[in-house]
Amino acid sequence: MHIHFQSAVRFFCALSLLLLTGSLLAQGAAKPPTPEERMVKVETDVKDAALAGHNAWMLTSSALVLFMTAPGLAMFYSGLVRKKNVLGVMMQCVFLMGLMTVIWGTYGYSLAFGGTDKYIGNADYLFMKGVERHFDAATNSVVTPMFNEGQPFQIPRLTHMLFQGMFFIITPALICGAFAERMKFSTMVVFMILWGTIVYIPLAHWVWGGGILAFVPLKEGSTGNGIAGGALDFAGGTVVHISSGVSALICALVMGKRLGYGTEPMPPHNLTYTVLGAAMLWVGWFGFNAGSELASDGLAASAFCVTHFAAAAGALSWATMEWITRGKPSVLGAASGLVAGLVCITPASGYVQPMPAIAMGIAVGIVCFLACTKLKSTFGYDDSLDAFGVHGVGGTLGAILTGVFATVHVCDTALVSDGKPVGLIDGRHQLLIGQLVAVVVTWVLAAVATFIILKILDVTMGLRVKRDDEMQGLDLSQHGEEGYIFI
């Protein structure tokens, strides 16, 4: 037995040596690659590595922006309402994550980013046509459609669609803060479908899809659709914050005040939720702003930095205003201030330096504090969770200050300025005019469209829950559940 085992070992060793020798001889006979072939392979490898890096960052950013809606915004808002409405607010956020995703995937993305018309997109990407992967019989391979194809960096169009879709989710959810504790859930669903289709989608096309508010690069002979040269909106100052904030104000005015507003105490039921939600928003906002570069590069790092700095300055500024006027800084003030700082820097995040970002955070903390206290009390409207005071006012200030602080030292000069001055800090005032025009257009669209939608729904469905249902709370009256059951 031992002799047979030794023979078998010798046989397999000899066979392995023979195969190895044959392999080495075959390799030696193969023709070595030419320098041109080596260069092509290196370029292909570099492009593949860049694509992997950009795509990984953008998928991460997409997840971060979704994280902003729930648990971020859901906790931030639900902590501010009374305990009988905590589930109602959370349900609005979670339901909109589903509803707006389906709208975006079926027709929203196509109308926002399809075609080159200056007013609205086309049917290029309806039902994910031209977005989803498909088999190409000519090449006998699966093809992934790309966004920015032919540009220095590109990502799968699926990734771009997902990233932009997360914005479409959180923007209408922001409006919910204005009518919290009193709108019928069924009406809210229809309102958001109409609002997303009539307000958000066209506005996204106008700003980011080459429409009437798109920025025209500062190059000789350059042409574009942008009114007054268009506006710079890196991550959604007009598209997200002004549109939702102004619409929130209209909702508060049309729907009227909550029962007992101004005569009964309505303190936040759980500030712990609110602070944790604000912290989650701060983290998620890095994907919101830095992700809007659509690549993992130096400009993304700059956007990440200024986002953080503005949030920090906003938290300090708002809390300091309370310290001065009320004698004590509150945790709600700090949380509100950091969100205001994030809102303000959003349109400017890809265009400004870190020190101006701190200045913007300080300014918006003061302005939004006054909007949520003095302005609100003067006019007496019931913007339940200050959606207008933070997003409408903060977004407007941020869009204007973008025209002041945008600089050639940060902007992608190949796409924006070609080395020319950009904002007022560079000595150029034209951008500020474009920003003001974009603000006015966004205000008018959001206000008029929201008013008309609400009036139609008020006649057909009714906007508010019944008096007894509002007193009972939306958790039970709209969903048949309670947020807190202690047994």
Side-chain angles (χ1 to χ4, degrees), residues 69 119 121 138 171 175 194 227 266 275 326 374 385 392 400 406 413 418 473:
T69 302
Y119 293 109
T171 305
I175 304 174
L194 295 174
I227 303 173
M266 297 182 178
V275 175
R326 300 175 180 176
K374 302 295 185 182
L385 311 182
I400 295 172
T413 56
D418 202 20

Side-chain angles (χ1 to χ4, degrees), residues 423-439:
L424 198 61
I425 197 172
D426 284 344
R428 183 177 180 274
H429 70 277
Q430 179 61 37
L431 176 62
L432 187 57
I433 297 175
Q435 298 298 116
L436 291 170
V437 169
V439 167

Side-chain angles (χ1 to χ4, degrees), residues 36-52:
E36 290 78 10
E37 290 172 336
R38 290 196 189 97
M39 183 61 68
V40 170
K41 186 177 186 306
V42 169
E43 291 178 350
T44 301
D45 290 344
V46 169
K47 289 180 180 179
D48 289 345
L51 172 60

Side-chain angles (χ1 to χ4, degrees), residues 314-400:
L316 298 179
S317 176
W318 191 307
T320 300
M321 286 297 294
E322 289 184 327
W323 213 339
I324 294 172
T325 59
R326 300 175 180 176
K328 294 180 181 178
S330 73
V331 66
L332 176 58
S336 301
L338 76 86
V339 174
L342 293 165
V343 169
C344 186
I345 198 62
T346 291
S349 54
Y351 311 115
V352 303
Q353 296 280 34
M355 292 303 103
I358 292 178
M360 291 176 69
I362 294 172
V364 78
I366 297 171
V367 171
C368 286
F369 168 79
L370 295 174
C372 294
T373 53
K374 302 295 185 182
L375 183 69
K376 185 176 176 180
S377 62
T378 299
F379 290 95
Y381 56 87
D382 183 12
D383 177 7
S384 307
L385 311 182
D386 291 317
F388 170 71
V390 173
H391 297 277
V393 174
T396 298
L397 181 63
I400 295 172

Side-chain angles (χ1 to χ4, degrees), residues 159-358:
T159 302
H160 180 258
M161 179 277 299
L162 286 169
F163 180 70
Q164 292 295 339
M166 302 311 177
F167 284 61
F168 189 57
I169 289 171
I170 194 171
T171 305
L174 295 172
I175 304 174
C176 294
F179 54 68
E181 304 190 302
R182 59 195 187 278
M183 181 179 268
K184 292 169 60 177
F185 185 76
S186 57
T187 304
M188 187 280 300
V189 172
V190 178
F191 171 76
M192 292 307 182
I193 294 173
L194 295 174
W195 188 90
T197 304
I198 297 171
V199 178
Y200 184 94
I201 290 173
L203 194 55
H205 183 76
W206 293 355
V207 176
W208 294 327
I212 59 174
L213 297 181
F215 185 77
V216 180
L218 306 177
K219 301 177 183 179
E220 293 184 8
S222 63
T223 59
N225 296 321
I227 303 173
L232 289 176
D233 187 354
F234 194 72
T238 51
V239 181
V240 175
H241 298 296
I242 297 179
S243 68
S244 63
V246 172
S247 296
L249 176 63
I250 301 302
C251 286
L253 293 174
V254 171
M255 294 193 65
K257 303 173 184 179
R258 288 167 289 177
L259 295 176
Y261 180 77
T263 59
E264 299 177 8
M266 297 182 178
H269 94 279
N270 194 330
L271 281 179
T272 307
Y273 281 5
T274 298
V275 175
L276 291 177
M280 292 172 186
L281 287 171
W282 193 337
V283 173
W285 225 289
F286 294 129
F288 199 87
N289 285 359
S292 291
E293 165 59 356
L294 303 181
S296 177
D297 59 10
L299 186 55
S302 178
F304 196 115
C305 174
V306 299
T307 298
H308 187 56
F309 279 20
L316 298 179
S317 176
W318 191 307
T320 300
M321 286 297 294
E322 289 184 327
W323 213 339
I324 294 172
T325 59
R326 300 175 180 176
K328 294 180 181 178
S330 73
V331 66
L332 176 58
S336 301
L338 76 86
V339 174
L342 293 165
V343 169
C344 186
I345 198 62
T346 291
S349 54
Y351 311 115
V352 303
Q353 296 280 34
M355 292 303 103
I358 292 178

